[in-house]
Amino acid sequence: MQKALYAGVNAAAVTSFNGDLSVNDEKTIAHCHYLLNNGCDSLAVLGTTSETNSLSATERERLLEKLIASGISPRKMLPGTGACDVPTVVRLSRHAAKCGCPGVLVLPPFYYKSPSEEGLFNFYSAIAEQVGAEVKIYFYHFPQQTMIPLTISLIDRLLKKYPGVFQGIKDSSGDIENTLSYINAFSAQGFEVYSGADATFAQVMRAGAAGCITATTNIASPLTAFIYRNYVNEDGLAAQEKLSRLRKIVAIGDTIPVVKTLLAYNNDDPSWETLRPPLCALSSETRQRLIEDYQALLLQ
């Protein structure tokens, strides 16, 4: 999997907002440059951690263009283009392709719950038929949020009908057995599996994953990169233990406000804690406990 398009460490990059809730391009761009200069091989932009489902399609397109204009290679970005309707997915995916991004990350249609496999097959087929010649499509499995599983049988059907179109998957289920099932079923044919779980990163790398795409990487990119380059030796396993402890600290609350709170702390910049509704900042009690636990980890 060293030849995977996004092999290695990918941060699910956050978006900075101004006090009026408009996108702060300058801080978002600076943070993305920081990540690429501090361990990240590529960036998963405009995904869940970016609060993308609180952005308009126009905002999503504009931010991607600004990131590229700032000097970030489009080949180092995997934009999220997921939406509940095929036309928006197609629009955003074609835009990413035009910008030069090799792939796009596509959630299942998450509004209608419990869709049939046939319905999901038709959804992804419609996207593949309209953009498959322009950009590689990556599945985004996040059943805690979408309530929709992406099964082995569904992926197998799509891979067989559209060879060369569906390139891989980000598994944010947190279920290592599920991640391993994707690897075992499809990695031999070049299908790239990316872990969305920090605690098992080294383990899935040893099993044949292509890399990771995680929110915690926003605050731990050097540590995550060290694990990627050392996951077979004792130093890498020791680093994995530290990352696992950090992930437990992050689990004190919803991931996005927690990660942004730690970014605010690390940068001494409270504006990082601004979120778009319906997300809310941490309570003062939770924030204090988070910072105390984080400080204690840094001293270890």
Side-chain angles (χ1 to χ4, degrees):
M1 280 298 150
Q2 297 299 315
K3 295 183 180 180
L5 289 180
Y6 296 96
V9 174
N10 298 271
V14 296
T15 303
S16 174
F17 295 104
N18 297 307
D20 62 0
L21 300 184
S22 61
V23 176
N24 188 316
D25 298 320
E26 182 180 352
K27 286 185 181 178
T28 303
I29 290 168
H31 178 61
C32 287
H33 278 277
Y34 166 83
L35 290 169
L36 289 171
N37 290 328
N38 287 272
C40 286
D41 299 285
S42 304
L43 302 173
V45 298
L46 299 167
T48 301
T49 312
S50 308
E51 300 174 65
T52 300
N53 288 303
S54 297
L55 300 178
S56 69
T58 300
E59 285 177 312
R60 293 163 76 169
E61 291 172 334
R62 186 181 63 83
L63 182 54
L64 181 60
E65 291 168 2
K66 285 184 173 291
L67 287 165
I68 294 169
S70 76
I72 297 177
S73 169
R75 300 198 65 80
K76 288 186 174 291
M77 288 190 286
L78 175 63
T81 59
C84 291
D85 63 291
V86 170
T88 298
V89 178
V90 170
R91 167 186 165 176
L92 294 172
S93 298
R94 284 179 168 165
H95 176 262
K98 184 178 180 180
C99 286
C101 299
V104 292
L105 188 63
V106 182
L107 284 164
F110 48 83
Y111 181 79
Y112 297 108
K113 306 308 176 188
S114 302
S116 65
E117 180 175 299
E118 193 64 23
L120 292 173
F121 180 81
N122 292 338
F123 176 81
Y124 279 107
S125 292
I127 297 165
E129 289 170 3
Q130 295 183 61
V131 304
E134 302 174 45
V135 68
K136 300 295 185 182
I137 299 171
Y138 288 78
F139 298 101
Y140 187 0
H141 184 234
F142 198 0
Q144 300 94 312
Q145 291 286 79
T146 65
M147 306 298 290
I148 299 172
L150 297 178
T151 63
I152 294 290
S153 60
L154 171 66
I155 295 170
D156 185 56
R157 288 179 64 189
L158 288 164
L159 290 177
K160 287 176 178 175
K161 185 169 182 179
Y162 302 101
V165 173
F166 293 95
Q167 187 74 14
I169 190 167
K170 175 190 176 183
D171 185 15
S172 291
S173 67
D175 180 354
I176 188 170
E177 293 304 321
N178 189 75
T179 307
L180 294 175
S181 72
Y182 292 144
I183 294 171
N184 294 334
F186 304 120
S187 64
Q189 55 189 286
F191 188 80
E192 304 164 17
V193 178
Y194 295 88
S195 173
D198 301 285
T200 55
F201 181 35
Q203 185 176 351
V204 297
M205 284 304 305
R206 292 194 297 273
C212 71
I213 303 173
T214 77
T216 309
T217 301
N218 282 282
I219 53 172
S221 54
L223 179 63
T224 311
F226 185 85
I227 296 167
Y228 176 70
R229 289 161 178 79
N230 295 277
Y231 61 85
V232 296
N233 62 46
E234 291 184 2
D235 289 341
L237 295 180
Q240 176 64 72
E241 290 181 8
K242 185 171 184 178
L243 180 61
S244 297
R245 293 197 299 273
L246 175 59
R247 188 63 189 85
K248 288 181 179 179
I249 292 171
V250 169
I252 194 173
D254 291 339
T255 300
I256 298 170
V258 167
V259 168
K260 294 186 96 172
T261 296
L262 292 177
L263 273 176
Y265 172 77
N266 286 338
N267 291 284
D268 193 23
D269 182 356
S271 71
W272 270 111
E273 297 185 57
T274 304
L275 301 116
R276 271 198 177 174
L279 298 181
C280 295
L282 301 177
S283 68
S284 58
E285 295 82 4
T286 301
R287 187 184 188 283
Q288 181 176 351
R289 180 183 165 194
L290 170 66
I291 298 302
E292 289 174 353
D293 290 347
Y294 181 64
Q295 289 173 330
L297 178 65
L298 295 179
L299 294 174
Q300 294 177 8

